[in-house]
Amino acid sequence: MQIEQTALSGVLVITPLRHRDERGFFAESWNRRSLEAAGLALPEFVQDNHSLSRQAGTLRGLHYQAPPHAQGKLVRCGRGCLYDVAVDARRGSPDFGRWIGVELSEENGRQLWIPPGFLHGFVTRAPDTEIVYKCTAHYDRDSDGGVHWNSLGIDWGVTDPILSGKDRDAPAFADWTTPFTSESDA
Ligand SMILES: Cc1cn([C@H]2C[C@H](O)[C@@H](COP(=O)(O)OP(=O)(O)O[C@H]3O[C@H](C)C(=O)[C@H](O)[C@H]3O)O2)c(=O)[nH]c1=O
């Protein structure tokens, strides 16, 4: 397994080892003991999510859950290809408002660890793309929120994505008050 830092402190790319043979491959997509042996102790996960987006150019984001329901997410692409984006939303952070994007695909097997306190979104780069991700807090509809995808200068590679009504109407980052007041509050 490989663990790589990104330009955002705390956001990591984790790539499990794939054991390949003539049938295909086998990989341990999640193994707490292996990560801890590599010096990475992630919080406990309590919920797994799975969504399918039928068309390329589908954008879901930028989403968060406010404290005390803030979610850390370990994201991977089970089928297809997507561009996954994390934005630091912690007002106390030197990276506040900064973003990174990573291509996750069934081919590259990469995973993105996004700690609580970050906005999360992705845009699909292939039809019938499936995302699966582990969350450190349960879904809480009342603390679920969003920021407009096109209000942070993120280069999504699309100009007219397929969006939910919620995402189309989300507030711009500049007009939004983050609920994450410091790293400890995330
Ligand atoms: C997130 C969630 C949603 N739902 C229900 C609520 C709606 O009836 C339906 C679709 O929800 P939504 O439109 O919020 O789904 P996405 O647009 O994929 O939202 C997700 O996309 C971004 C990328 C994320 O990181 C979040 O996990 C989440 O915000 O599933 C649940 O029952 N449980 C859940 O955990």
Side-chain angles (χ1 to χ4, degrees):
M1 167 204 8
Q2 199 178 2
I3 302 173
E4 301 163 81
Q5 303 288 332
T6 67
L8 281 188
S9 174
V11 180
L12 303 171
V13 175
I14 299 169
T15 308
L17 171 66
R18 285 186 170 180
H19 303 276
R20 298 182 185 281
D21 61 26
E22 63 283 355
R23 299 167 298 172
F25 73 82
F26 178 92
E28 294 181 354
S29 50
W30 163 248
N31 185 317
R32 177 176 294 283
R33 185 176 59 188
S34 300
L35 283 177
E36 289 180 348
L40 178 59
L42 294 184
E44 181 195 11
F45 294 110
V46 295
Q47 179 175 315
D48 275 11
N49 291 342
H50 177 189
S51 73
L52 163 68
S53 301
R54 287 287 182 206
Q55 291 178 275
T58 300
L59 194 154
R60 299 178 188 242
L62 293 156
H63 300 163
Y64 66 93
Q65 287 195 168
H69 304 285
Q71 294 174 312
K73 296 167 188 167
L74 181 60
V75 184
R76 64 189 177 94
C77 178
R79 179 168 57 140
C81 183
L82 60 92
Y83 184 66
D84 208 60
V85 171
V87 182
D88 191 338
R90 300 167 301 173
R91 187 180 294 118
S93 165
D95 289 330
F96 179 68
R98 291 188 60 210
W99 62 276
I100 60 111
V102 177
E103 182 170 277
L104 308 180
S105 70
E106 63 182 287
E107 285 308 312
N108 69 26
R110 285 176 168 177
Q111 303 180 8
L112 193 62
W113 162 244
I114 305 170
F118 286 71
L119 305 176
H120 176 231
F122 67 91
V123 64
T124 58
R125 289 182 165 174
D128 294 327
T129 286
E130 297 186 54
I131 187 170
V132 287
Y133 47 109
K134 310 178 88 62
C135 301
T136 60
H138 291 105
Y139 177 56
D140 182 87
R141 188 183 298 269
D142 295 336
S143 66
D144 187 52
V147 169
H148 198 270
W149 64 279
N150 204 17
S151 64
L152 278 144
I154 295 168
D155 181 7
W156 294 96
V158 294
T159 52
D160 186 19
I162 295 164
L163 298 166
S164 67
K166 176 181 80 172
D167 290 346
R168 197 171 301 114
D169 301 337
F173 185 77
D175 303 330
W176 173 69
T177 302
T178 179
F180 304 106
T181 52
S182 73
E183 294 194 35
S184 59
D185 288 350

